[in-house]
Amino acid sequence: QVRLVMKAYSFIRENVPRVLSSVKDKSGTVHIPRISQYLYFLFAPTLIYRDNYPRNPTIRWGYVATKFAQVLGSLFYAYYIFVRLCIPQFRNSSQETFNLRGLVLCIFNSILPGVLILFLVFFAFLHCWLNAFAEMLRFADRMFYK
């Protein structure tokens, strides 16, 4: 939701001054973006709206398949970590009476698996998913990490 709000703000910030300046000048042409430009912007991995983006000439479908396979691999690995390292901790604690020591041990034993799952989610979404969509949209500006 935050990403969509940021994209909407960028779209409004880039287009409202253009429309207002053409209304002030009372020129007959008002440049309003097309729906296809807005839809491309919604799926492109960028937060800055432009009418046109640099585009690659072709789509490398092997690259797209590799990125989606990495997303699936990350999800399966996160599931494996969760099932093998997190669930047994909480299953053991649910059978015992509540005490502060057990809660603290359960939390500390879940920190490392939680961080691993967080890294996997970041890798799967921010690297693999966005690169796959950038390739399918032929989005040429791949400076995500700069």
Side-chain angles (χ1 to χ4, degrees):
Q1 294 298 328
V2 172
R3 182 176 155 265
L4 289 176
V5 169
M6 292 171 71
K7 283 187 174 254
Y9 175 76
S10 175
F11 180 77
I12 290 169
R13 184 171 173 114
E14 291 293 324
N15 288 305
V16 167
R18 271 195 291 191
V19 171
L20 291 178
S21 66
S22 64
V23 169
K24 274 186 197 174
D25 298 340
K26 296 183 180 171
S27 61
T29 60
V30 178
H31 185 269
I32 298 173
R34 296 186 315 267
I35 296 293
S36 62
Q37 291 173 324
Y38 182 67
L39 285 175
Y40 183 85
F41 169 63
L42 283 181
F43 288 101
T46 182
L47 293 174
I48 300 170
Y49 176 79
R50 298 287 180 254
D51 288 334
N52 296 314
Y53 294 98
R55 311 267 313 254
N56 289 331
T58 59
I59 298 173
R60 299 175 294 172
W61 289 108
Y63 182 80
V64 173
T66 302
K67 291 300 172 190
F68 280 134
Q70 288 175 350
V71 169
L72 286 175
S74 297
L75 291 175
F76 283 124
Y77 189 51
Y79 172 76
Y80 178 79
I81 290 172
F82 191 72
V83 167
R84 293 292 178 184
L85 298 176
C86 292
I87 290 177
Q89 293 295 323
F90 290 100
R91 184 173 292 143
N92 292 339
S93 67
S94 67
Q95 294 170 353
E96 300 171 2
T97 60
F98 177 78
N99 59 6
L100 187 61
R101 181 182 178 276
L103 177 67
V104 170
L105 284 175
C106 187
I107 289 172
F108 278 116
N109 287 334
S110 298
I111 287 175
L112 182 62
V115 170
L116 287 174
I117 290 173
L118 186 66
F119 283 148
L120 282 170
V121 168
F122 282 146
F123 172 74
F125 180 71
L126 293 177
H127 180 70
C128 300
W129 189 264
L130 290 179
N131 267 314
F133 268 93
E135 186 65 34
M136 286 189 299
L137 293 172
R138 297 187 299 133
F139 189 76
D141 186 14
R142 307 274 177 93
M143 299 293 181
F144 297 139
Y145 306 113
K146 290 190 179 188

